[in-house]
Amino acid sequence: MIRFILICIVVVGYLILTIPVLGILWLIGRKNRRIQDIVSLRMVQWTFRFILWIAGTKVTVIGQERVPRDTPVLYIGNHRSFFDILLTYSRCPDLTGYVAKDGMLKIPLLSTWMKRLYCLFLNRKDIKAGLQTILAGIEQIKNGISMCIFPEGTRNRDGELPLLPFHEGSLKMAEKSGCPIVTMSMNNTAEIFEAHFPKIKPCHVVLEYGEPIYPKELSKEDRKFLGAYCQRQMEETIRRNSCLIG
């Protein structure tokens, strides 16, 4: 419980203590939006890495060099833990917005930071609103900002494998913008917290970035069922990396 309490203190402390910082960043943004964005990104990444350190999480990262540095991408990952966001966002090389459930908008200050970091909020029950979110993501990619989405649509509580069926619509951001898809396959992240809620325990997790997937270069069949294609790639990776967990 001590780790859980410490992490809560860090999160709440960050949100409160950085209230003045939000004002300073706003002033910086009036002169140079890029500087504002990068400072915001690095601040949150440092805090996420610090939280993972408090949690005692040992991370093995494979294939980070595969992530293109000269173009925005669509990151997709399997989803079993709240810590998936911390684990992956702390390693984004450049501006990246995550697609989150719209319920996050109700959380003061946290939603302010999320908006500043180009996150989009998805209403799962409203198809029209969901389409608008995807269209907004396409525009952000076209403007040079990478996006990240968890295609399972929710946390998988049934186990590491099989993954929940991928929502094909979640990959439209890559199909319509022409950006590459980068898979982020994670092993063992539920062992940080969810497997023994409310305790946070030290554990070893694996994160592997896949080779970029360019939808236009795939066969007609794989393009038609792009979500299923990406799901197979990720399941193979997760299955292969399971042996790395001690």
Side-chain angles (χ1 to χ4, degrees):
M1 285 297 292
I2 294 177
R3 294 178 190 271
F4 178 80
I5 293 170
L6 286 175
I7 288 173
C8 289
I9 291 172
V10 170
V11 172
V12 174
Y14 178 90
L15 293 176
I16 294 174
L17 294 176
T18 57
I19 292 175
V21 176
L22 288 170
I24 295 171
L25 289 171
W26 178 79
L27 291 173
I28 293 173
R30 297 186 65 184
K31 296 288 186 180
N32 191 316
R33 181 63 182 271
R34 173 70 179 177
I35 292 178
Q36 176 203 58
D37 289 343
I38 291 298
V39 171
S40 300
L41 171 69
R42 301 309 179 205
M43 285 179 61
V44 172
Q45 286 182 319
W46 183 90
T47 304
F48 282 180
R49 287 193 293 268
F50 183 54
I51 290 173
L52 289 168
W53 178 79
I54 293 174
T57 307
K58 176 186 175 183
V59 184
T60 295
V61 181
I62 302 170
Q64 193 161 9
E65 71 283 354
R66 299 168 184 159
V67 180
R69 300 301 178 107
D70 57 349
T71 184
V73 306
L74 175 65
Y75 295 101
I76 62 172
N78 57 307
H79 195 23
R80 294 203 65 213
S81 172
F82 293 118
F83 281 82
D84 296 337
I85 293 94
L86 282 70
L87 178 64
T88 56
Y89 192 76
S90 61
R91 287 172 171 78
C92 292
D94 208 336
L95 301 177
T96 304
Y98 275 47
V99 177
K101 59 183 179 180
D102 61 350
M104 302 294 287
L105 282 167
K106 300 177 183 179
I107 306 177
L109 296 178
L110 177 60
S111 59
T112 302
W113 273 102
M114 292 177 72
K115 291 176 185 176
R116 183 175 293 281
L117 294 167
Y118 296 97
C119 291
L120 299 176
F121 301 90
L122 180 67
N123 185 332
R124 300 171 183 169
K125 298 179 180 179
D126 188 328
I127 296 176
K128 186 176 180 180
L131 176 60
Q132 291 301 314
T133 300
I134 298 301
L135 292 174
I138 292 170
E139 285 304 308
Q140 291 199 164
I141 291 173
K142 289 180 177 179
N143 290 328
I145 299 164
S146 294
M147 293 300 300
C148 176
I149 193 166
F150 297 103
E152 292 172 283
T154 187
R155 283 184 293 122
N156 185 352
R157 296 172 173 84
D158 296 332
E160 199 104 277
L161 291 172
L163 302 181
L164 299 176
F166 281 17
H167 295 277
E168 294 288 342
S170 63
L171 302 177
K172 292 296 182 184
M173 286 186 281
E175 293 181 86
K176 298 300 183 182
S177 68
C179 78
I181 298 169
V182 174
T183 59
M184 301 184 298
S185 304
M186 291 171 277
N187 290 71
N188 212 41
T189 57
E191 288 299 321
I192 303 174
F193 179 54
E194 283 76 7
H196 34 70
F197 176 87
K199 295 181 179 180
I200 292 176
K201 294 184 178 181
C203 72
H204 177 207
V205 303
V206 177
L207 164 62
E208 179 167 346
Y209 295 89
E211 294 286 352
I213 298 170
Y214 295 86
K216 291 183 179 180
E217 296 179 2
L218 299 177
S219 68
K220 183 178 179 180
E221 184 70 12
D222 287 334
R223 286 200 307 271
K224 184 178 180 181
F225 301 104
L226 183 57
Y229 174 84
C230 293
Q231 181 174 344
R232 289 196 301 272
Q233 301 294 312
M234 292 177 64
E235 286 181 336
E236 290 174 8
T237 302
I238 293 167
R239 191 172 291 110
R240 182 179 68 247
N241 289 342
S242 62
C243 65
L244 301 178
I245 301 300

